[in-house]
């Protein structure tokens, strides 16, 4: 996402060196057109291309989906569109969504020349099934079987809400991964996939990929791709405006002035998803473990200011108290129709006073009912300029209640470990999106993600526990009728509003900043054939659509 830099000049110089080294090593495979260059502001990476790990370089930089392919392509900016067959030519579910059968495409080869078979697909699902560290979606697998070109996966529970996750499972080669030992620790430094590109060179700041000459969809229009890492948003934006980067998955402050106005070929498309940006708060320890403080904090936050000052209006504020973005209005329960977040400083202070807090509104003098000083540490990675600005605003608002607030901006790896292990008070993070609000509530308060403090959690970073919420989430996932799902959503929204397990603040746009100076065919508002997030599974599809400008 976004990182701070010790010196923008140093990073730009490093990036220039990478360009030079990669160009020298491109050899005869290079096209006469300039390489396609992607930029990310996550700082130096470690040499790890394991596609199963969200923290690997392949995942962070996005190149895993240039190498590894999914079974099906989904347009999650237009969720009603029919999914597109990819490594699977067709699929079918049983009536209660506890079994799906995929028919695997023939004629596809791994980049080492061996054929893709249904056995590879079955192996991949079994790998996820048998290794909890890889099953980050907590899919309740039952069995995986193969018959000819068909692979059938069964589950112990209805998987209606997880259909898209299963469709977008990338496939790995059995002949390589069966011998890697613990797949969660495998570095995969020489990845072999079926995708359109092959890893050629790797460095701490970026990688170079070349087109797969035996790709099953035919010859590609882009011969070489470079993925360059910058240390923060500012450095990446500078590289973009100087023409070094074709696509930047980055928040650009004042994007209309800083990006769009620089060249008529510069484009920005920020489609929103059915997810939200949330202040995850630690329910298990510290200031936010008290519900009164959670409620007061939510009331004091000015979400409109976060939108304007943090994202220059690119991300709309969450207005519904249910945490749902504008794209989820149809899912709001009638009990909360029209109920919106409003800044209420006096109401927030009254809640604290009624709960026995003293020193309300004083300078660093707030104490809870036991006389304990209220201190809050907010954390997000250095260089994530939108989040960093938003945390500063939230911090000053919490200070107005009397809390002593510290805002930290550690490295990405340090921050990731903090929130995963529960060693934080508050941190901005996004929820997964989907075709329903299921992921918002699951990620925010789902018991399946609950882990004790000190143990890594994939979501529910705040360690919220509520048996009624867990039952409703489970029941929603197993529902076979819209009426049943509506009832479960009503339960979840009531708990979400009344218990404040997290504090939703902004909608989640996809930061699609690109230029058409060298390549055309990008998804856009006028041609939304795909998500424009080039770290998502849709990257594979987009790479087959791009063409060099002649």
């Amino acid at each position: 996402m976004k990182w701070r830099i010790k010196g923008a000049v140093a990073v730009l110089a490093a990036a220039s060196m990478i360009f030079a080294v990669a160009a020298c090593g491109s050899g005869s495979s290079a096209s006469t057109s300039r390489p396609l260059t992607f930029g990310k502001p996550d700082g130096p990476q470690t040499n790890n291309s394991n596609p199963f790990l969200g923290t690997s370089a392949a995942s962070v930089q996005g190149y895993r989906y240039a190498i590894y392919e999914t079974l099906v392509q989904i347009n999650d900016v237009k969720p009603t569109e029919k999914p597109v067959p990819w490594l699977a030519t067709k699929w079918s579910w049983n009536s209660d969504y506890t079994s799906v059968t995929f028919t695997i495409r023939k004629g596809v080869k791994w980049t080492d020349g061996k054929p893709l078979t249904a056995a590879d697909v079955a192996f991949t699902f079994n790998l996820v099934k048998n290794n909890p560290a890889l099953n980050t979606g907590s899919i309740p697998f039952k069995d995986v079987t193969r018959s000819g070109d068909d692979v059938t996966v069964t589950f112990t529970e209805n998987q209606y809400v997880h259909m898209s996750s299963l469709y977008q499972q990338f496939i790995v080669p059995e002949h390589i991964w069966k011998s890697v030992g613990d797949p969660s620790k495998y570095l995969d430094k020489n990845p072999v996939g079926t995708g359109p590109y092959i890893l050629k060179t790797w460095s701490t700041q970026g990688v170079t990929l070349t087109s797969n000459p035996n790709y099953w969809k035919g010859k590609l229009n882009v011969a070489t791709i470079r993925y360059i890492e910058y240390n923060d948003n500012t450095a990446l934006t500078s590289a973009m405006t100087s023409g070094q980067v074709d696509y930047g998955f980055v928040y650009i402050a004042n994007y209309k002035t800083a990006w769009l106005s620089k060249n008529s070929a510069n484009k920005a498309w920020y489609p929103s998803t059915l997810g939200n940006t949330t202040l995850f708060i630690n329910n298990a320890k510290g200031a936010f473990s008290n519900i009164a403080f959670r409620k007061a904090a939510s009331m004091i936050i000015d979400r409109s200011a976060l939108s304007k000052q943090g994202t220059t209006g690119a991300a709309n504020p969450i207005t519904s108290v249910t945490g749902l973005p504008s794209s989820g209005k149809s899912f709001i329960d009638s009990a909360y129709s029209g109920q919106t977040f409003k800044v209420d400083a006096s109401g927030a202070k009254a809640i604290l006073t009624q709960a026995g807090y003293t020193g309300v509104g004083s300078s660093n003098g707030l104490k809870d009912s036991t006389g304990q000083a209220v201190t809050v540490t907010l954390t997000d990675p250095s260089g994530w300029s939108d989040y960093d600005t938003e945390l500063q605003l939230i911090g000053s608002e919490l200070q107005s209640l009397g809390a002593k607030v510290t805002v930290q901006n550690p490295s990405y790896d340090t921050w990731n470990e903090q929130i995963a292990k529960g060693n934080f008070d508050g941190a901005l993070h996004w929820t997964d999106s989907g075709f329903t609000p299921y992921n918002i509530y699951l990620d925010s308060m789902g018991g399946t993600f609950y882990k004790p403090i000190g143990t890594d959690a994939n979501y529910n970073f705040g360690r919220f526990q509520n048996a009624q919420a867990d039952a409703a989430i489970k029941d929603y996932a197993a529902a076979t009728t819209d009426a049943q799902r509506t009832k479960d959503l009503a339960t979840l929204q009531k708990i979400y509003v009344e218990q404040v397990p997290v504090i939703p603040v902004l909608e989640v746009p996809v930061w699609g900043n690109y230029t058409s100076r060298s390549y055309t065919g990008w998804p856009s508002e006028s041609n939304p054939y795909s998500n424009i997030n080039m770290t998502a599974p849709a990257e594979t599809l987009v790479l087959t659509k791009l063409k060099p400008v002649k």
Side-chain angles (χ1 to χ4, degrees):
M1 300 271 310
K2 318 103 182 166
W3 279 64
R4 190 176 303 274
I5 183 173
K6 292 184 179 179
V9 174
V11 172
L12 289 173
S16 297
M17 291 177 63
I18 293 167
F19 273 102
V21 172
C24 291
S26 58
S28 60
S29 65
S31 168
T32 54
S33 61
R34 68 182 292 276
L36 173 68
T37 304
F38 295 137
K40 288 286 298 309
D42 302 299
Q45 301 292 305
T46 56
N47 193 351
N48 187 338
S49 294
N50 188 327
F52 291 102
L53 304 182
T55 56
S56 73
S59 301
V60 172
Q61 293 180 266
Y63 64 86
R64 66 172 162 179
Y65 292 115
I67 296 172
Y68 293 101
E69 296 186 290
T70 61
L71 294 169
V72 181
Q73 283 288 333
I74 293 174
N75 186 356
D76 52 11
V77 300
K78 296 186 71 176
T80 58
E81 281 192 351
K82 186 177 180 180
V84 177
W86 210 254
L87 291 184
T89 57
K90 61 181 180 179
W91 55 92
S92 60
W93 289 86
N94 65 353
S95 59
D96 64 357
Y97 295 94
T98 58
S99 176
V100 60
T101 298
F102 295 100
T103 299
I104 308 308
R105 187 179 299 278
K106 296 180 179 180
V108 179
K109 290 184 178 181
W110 298 103
T111 50
D112 63 1
K114 296 184 183 297
L116 167 77
T117 69
D120 293 305
V121 177
F123 170 82
T124 300
F125 277 116
N126 272 316
L127 197 66
V128 177
K129 170 179 176 285
N130 297 327
N131 291 275
L134 307 188
N135 189 9
T136 56
S138 301
I139 303 295
F141 291 101
K142 182 178 181 182
D143 200 10
V144 181
T145 58
R146 175 174 62 91
S147 177
D149 294 325
D150 291 343
V151 174
T152 298
V153 186
T154 58
F155 313 92
T156 59
E157 299 172 0
N158 182 314
Q159 292 304 290
Y160 175 82
V161 297
H162 291 133
M163 284 194 294
S164 60
S165 296
L166 294 160
Y167 292 161
Q168 294 181 313
Q169 175 60 57
F170 51 80
I171 306 303
V172 298
E174 179 181 17
H175 64 277
I176 291 176
W177 283 77
K178 67 181 179 181
S179 304
V180 303
D182 184 346
S184 70
K185 299 185 184 308
Y186 180 51
L187 298 181
D188 197 21
K189 291 186 178 181
N190 297 293
V192 173
T194 60
Y197 289 87
I198 301 170
L199 178 62
K200 185 176 183 181
T201 64
W202 198 99
S203 80
T204 56
Q205 288 285 355
V207 301
T208 300
L209 275 62
T210 54
S211 60
N212 177 359
N214 299 312
Y215 188 48
W216 61 274
K217 285 184 71 67
K219 185 178 180 180
L220 297 152
N221 292 309
V222 181
T224 305
I225 307 175
R226 292 179 185 143
Y227 294 78
I228 307 298
E229 278 293 352
Y230 297 84
N231 277 17
D232 67 2
N233 293 6
T234 302
L236 175 52
T237 301
S238 296
M240 292 169 62
T241 55
S242 66
Q244 296 184 54
V245 174
D246 296 292
Y247 169 94
F249 188 64
V250 61
Y251 161 70
I252 300 177
N254 299 307
Y255 70 96
K256 292 181 181 179
T257 300
W259 172 240
L260 295 182
S261 69
K262 300 299 183 182
N263 192 298
S264 60
N266 293 352
K267 310 294 181 184
W269 184 41
Y270 303 153
S272 291
T273 62
L274 186 47
N276 65 30
T277 294
T278 281
L279 182 68
F280 279 86
I281 48 182
N282 201 322
N283 287 246
K285 67 175 184 177
F288 290 111
S289 64
N290 189 310
I291 189 173
F293 189 74
R294 299 202 299 270
K295 289 182 175 181
S298 183
M299 294 171 68
I300 200 70
I301 292 175
D302 187 341
R303 292 163 174 82
S304 292
L306 299 185
S307 171
K308 293 174 183 177
Q309 297 182 47
T311 74
T312 59
N316 294 323
I318 291 290
T319 57
S320 172
V321 295
T322 64
L324 298 187
S326 55
S327 58
K329 284 182 178 179
S330 63
F331 294 101
I332 296 174
D333 184 63
S334 59
Y336 299 107
S337 178
Q339 292 194 33
T340 59
F341 287 115
K342 296 180 178 64
V343 179
D344 185 358
S346 60
K349 292 175 181 178
I351 285 178
L352 294 177
T353 300
Q354 292 167 9
Y357 284 74
T358 58
V360 178
S362 64
S363 177
N364 299 331
L366 185 64
K367 295 182 179 180
D368 63 21
S369 60
T370 68
Q372 183 73 31
V374 177
T375 62
V376 176
T377 299
L378 304 176
T379 180
D380 270 300
S382 173
W384 288 19
S385 56
D386 52 342
Y387 278 14
D388 295 346
T389 298
E390 291 153 17
L391 275 194
Q392 291 290 344
L393 292 171
I394 292 170
S396 61
E397 289 163 342
L398 296 181
Q399 283 180 325
S400 72
L401 296 176
K404 183 177 181 180
V405 180
T406 301
V407 176
Q408 295 181 343
N409 298 122
S411 70
Y412 173 85
D413 288 342
T414 298
W415 170 77
N416 192 59
E417 183 176 8
Q418 285 176 337
I419 63 170
K421 294 188 181 300
N423 296 323
F424 73 103
D425 291 327
L428 289 171
H429 197 290
W430 56 93
T431 67
D432 289 328
S433 60
F435 303 108
T436 73
Y438 175 80
N439 284 328
I440 289 179
Y441 297 124
L442 174 68
D443 293 353
S444 299
M445 56 184 181
T448 56
F449 284 132
Y450 175 81
K451 298 292 182 183
I453 287 179
T455 303
D456 288 353
N458 291 315
Y459 264 116
N460 188 5
F461 302 116
R463 275 64 182 179
F464 180 76
Q465 296 185 82
N466 186 290
Q468 189 179 13
D470 292 344
I473 289 172
K474 183 177 181 179
D475 196 56
Y476 185 94
T480 56
T481 67
D482 287 340
Q484 187 177 358
R485 295 186 191 100
T486 299
K487 180 180 178 182
D488 292 326
L489 277 181
T491 298
L492 291 170
Q493 290 174 16
K494 187 174 189 294
I495 295 169
Y496 191 89
V497 172
E498 295 182 355
Q499 297 297 312
V500 197
V502 296
I503 300 176
V505 291
L506 297 171
E507 296 188 1
V508 181
V510 177
W511 304 119
N513 304 289
Y514 63 95
T515 177
S516 58
R517 282 177 290 185
S518 300
Y519 290 93
T520 61
W522 299 95
S524 63
E525 187 173 5
S526 62
N527 185 23
Y529 68 84
S530 172
N531 189 337
I532 197 169
N533 180 356
M534 298 301 283
T535 68
E539 178 189 19
T540 314
L541 172 62
V542 175
L543 290 175
T544 67
K545 299 284 189 181
L546 297 180
K547 296 180 180 180
V549 174
K550 296 181 180 180

